[in-house]
Amino acid sequence: MQKITPKVIDSGCRDDAPTKNVLKNISWSERTKTRSHPDELPSLKALIDKQRGTDSDVLQKVMMHPKGVMLWSNKTLSVFYKRCKYDIVYLDATGSVIKKNTAESPPYYIYELVVRNPSKGQSPLPVATYVTCDHTTASVTYFLQAFQTDVIRMYGNVAIKRPVMIICDGSLVLMHSISTAFCRTGLEDLLQKYFLLITGQHPTETFDLPILHRCLSHIMKNAKALCKK
């Protein structure tokens, strides 16, 4: 990189630049210089301690087994608390963002709690993110409960009955986790309560559980796939 003149770099021309892997190694080497510890995990934990109580306090938890990090802040907790009282909360997951280093490496998933932006036409607002290589009910439930614990710690027990409605893609892992973390009951019991509600056997005035809703686009996608079989 030092052999490339500043004029070439400023122009955006990369014809004489090293290969992608070399640039990746250079970038990684530069990032390691800013670490507080040579090892990544102690460095992340030191970063948590350093940011605790500040406006930059976003990194909440670092886990070794399974590997993962959880991210949210007091600001996003506030946004979640205000928005989820009247609007929909989304829980989504994707495994296509972080690439595996090797074929043997476990895939990493990104889970995100998202609320709708109060300004029409604006992008949704992510309030909590979980990056992990463990796609299990226990792992996702721990993430949601950790986030919910911080919400309750900030706003008290009044936050227990929120949100009003949660939408997910229909994954059993997500549905079980949402049922446990936000509805405080098992998925089968929750579905039974919904059945009693929609059949008129339970008064709507006293029903105070969040509504778990499957994403319609995923339902249509699954139906389309079934029709092709």
Side-chain angles (χ1 to χ4, degrees):
M1 289 292 289
Q2 295 176 352
K3 296 179 181 179
I4 303 176
T5 63
K7 185 177 181 180
V8 173
I9 294 178
D10 293 339
S11 69
C13 178
R14 299 294 184 268
D15 292 343
D16 297 326
T19 64
K20 181 179 70 174
N21 289 333
V22 172
L23 291 173
K24 184 177 179 180
N25 289 334
I26 293 173
S27 176
W28 178 82
S29 299
E30 288 298 317
R31 288 198 303 270
T32 56
K33 294 179 181 179
T34 61
R35 290 181 185 170
S36 57
H37 192 280
D39 194 346
E40 291 182 357
L41 286 176
S43 179
L44 286 172
K45 291 180 180 178
L47 183 61
I48 291 177
D49 295 336
K50 181 180 179 180
Q51 294 182 348
R52 187 69 67 198
T54 67
D55 293 337
S56 302
D57 186 8
V58 176
L59 184 61
Q60 300 297 327
K61 296 183 184 297
V62 178
M63 293 161 291
M64 185 63 184
H65 300 290
K67 292 181 179 179
V69 293
M70 298 183 185
L71 305 101
W72 60 79
S73 66
N74 288 340
K75 180 63 176 178
T76 61
L77 291 174
S78 174
V79 171
F80 173 82
Y81 179 79
K82 294 175 181 177
R83 296 298 301 155
C84 73
K85 183 178 180 180
Y86 308 103
D87 210 342
I88 299 170
V89 174
Y90 302 88
L91 176 61
D92 200 7
T94 179
S96 60
V97 176
I98 302 178
K99 295 182 179 179
K100 298 194 299 182
N101 291 330
T102 63
E104 294 77 19
S105 301
Y108 275 85
Y109 297 89
I110 299 178
Y111 298 87
E112 202 155 62
L113 270 177
V114 180
V115 296
R116 287 200 291 195
N117 197 308
S119 301
K120 188 175 181 179
Q122 299 298 314
S123 299
L125 303 173
V127 293
T129 303
Y130 180 35
V131 182
T132 182
C133 58
D134 186 20
H135 185 63
T136 63
T137 301
S139 177
V140 180
T141 300
Y142 176 61
F143 160 59
L144 296 178
Q145 288 180 334
F147 177 76
Q148 184 79 333
T149 297
D150 279 4
V151 174
I152 295 173
R153 184 180 292 119
M154 179 176 289
Y155 293 100
N157 291 333
V158 68
I160 291 178
K161 296 300 182 181
R162 299 185 182 184
V164 175
M165 178 182 289
I166 310 173
I167 294 180
C168 69
D169 61 8
S171 161
L172 283 177
V173 168
L174 298 186
M175 294 176 69
H176 276 290
S177 299
I178 291 171
S179 178
T180 301
F182 290 110
C183 302
R184 307 299 177 96
T185 186
L187 181 59
E188 292 184 4
D189 181 59
L190 180 64
L191 294 177
Q192 178 64 24
K193 290 178 179 178
Y194 288 161
F195 176 78
L196 295 176
L197 178 67
I198 62 177
T199 55
Q201 302 177 56
H202 191 289
T204 57
E205 296 80 8
T206 59
F207 193 84
D208 58 354
L209 290 174
I211 300 299
L212 173 56
H213 200 290
R214 285 193 62 189
C215 174
L216 181 59
S217 63
H218 284 84
I219 294 176
M220 297 299 293
K221 181 180 178 181
N222 294 340
K224 185 177 180 180
L226 288 173
C227 291
K228 290 182 178 180
K229 292 184 178 180

